[in-house]
Amino acid sequence: MKQSHNNIRPLFITHNKEKEAIKSLFVGNVIVVVYTKGSDGANIYLKNGEEYEDKGFKVIVSDTTGAGDAFIGGFLSELVSLEISNENLCERVSENHQRLLTFANASGALTASVKGAIQAAPGKRHVLNFISTQRAKTRVKE
């Protein structure tokens, strides 16, 4: 399940805390929740209690149209490449959380940095080049 910070805020009223609101989403067959936070990155929550965070990428925003779609598209494309099944989903997400979040956040950031959702849709090579460049900049600043 994917939820954004805009979608989850109404649950805060009921549950008063972000993590409690997230936990309330684990009903039925839901075992993974991806929580997007716009320019603040995203988190993955697993039903078994594990959670992972990626701060995302800072870009000059031109147009956010399609950024959430690009995020989930990037996340799912990487997830599918992990040969997942119902039985190994949590294990695969846990083992590859950084890869999944980094690629998804980069996909969303690149889309938001260009005007128009269709023209902004990045390909895999573009996303990987962006990640490489941005993470190298971050390491230099540290």
Side-chain angles (χ1 to χ4, degrees):
M1 170 184 289
K2 184 249 184 210
Q3 290 293 320
S4 73
H5 60 285
N6 293 328
N7 295 342
I8 226 115
R9 280 196 185 119
L11 290 175
F12 290 174
I13 296 167
T14 305
H15 297 280
N16 296 323
K17 295 181 182 175
E18 180 179 294
K19 288 188 181 185
E20 287 181 32
I22 296 292
K23 285 180 186 177
S24 76
L25 299 173
F26 289 105
V27 292
N29 293 326
V30 176
I31 57 174
V32 178
V33 173
V34 180
Y35 176 45
T36 60
K37 303 181 292 184
S39 63
D40 293 325
N43 292 32
I44 295 174
Y45 295 90
L46 302 179
K47 192 171 190 171
N48 67 10
E50 293 176 43
E51 60 183 78
Y52 304 99
E53 179 179 30
D54 185 83
K55 297 289 186 184
F57 298 91
K58 301 301 177 201
V59 296
I60 297 171
V61 175
S62 178
D63 184 357
T64 60
T65 304
D69 294 329
F71 175 95
I72 199 63
F75 186 90
L76 292 174
S77 73
E78 287 300 293
L79 186 62
V80 167
S81 74
L82 299 175
E83 299 179 19
I84 57 160
S85 67
N86 287 336
E87 293 76 32
N88 70 11
L89 179 61
C90 275
E91 180 183 341
R92 291 282 198 268
V93 170
S94 180
E95 292 169 349
N96 297 280
H97 64 274
Q98 194 60 57
R99 170 184 168 183
L100 294 165
L101 286 172
T102 299
F103 194 87
N105 277 321
S107 298
L110 280 168
T111 300
S113 70
V114 179
K115 189 129 180 90
I118 300 301
Q119 299 86 336
K124 186 164 187 159
R125 183 173 295 139
H126 190 191
V127 173
L128 293 173
N129 287 339
F130 175 78
I131 292 168
S132 176
T133 303
Q134 293 300 310
R135 297 294 159 137
K137 287 180 184 177
T138 302
R139 283 191 291 275
V140 170
K141 289 181 183 178
E142 293 173 351

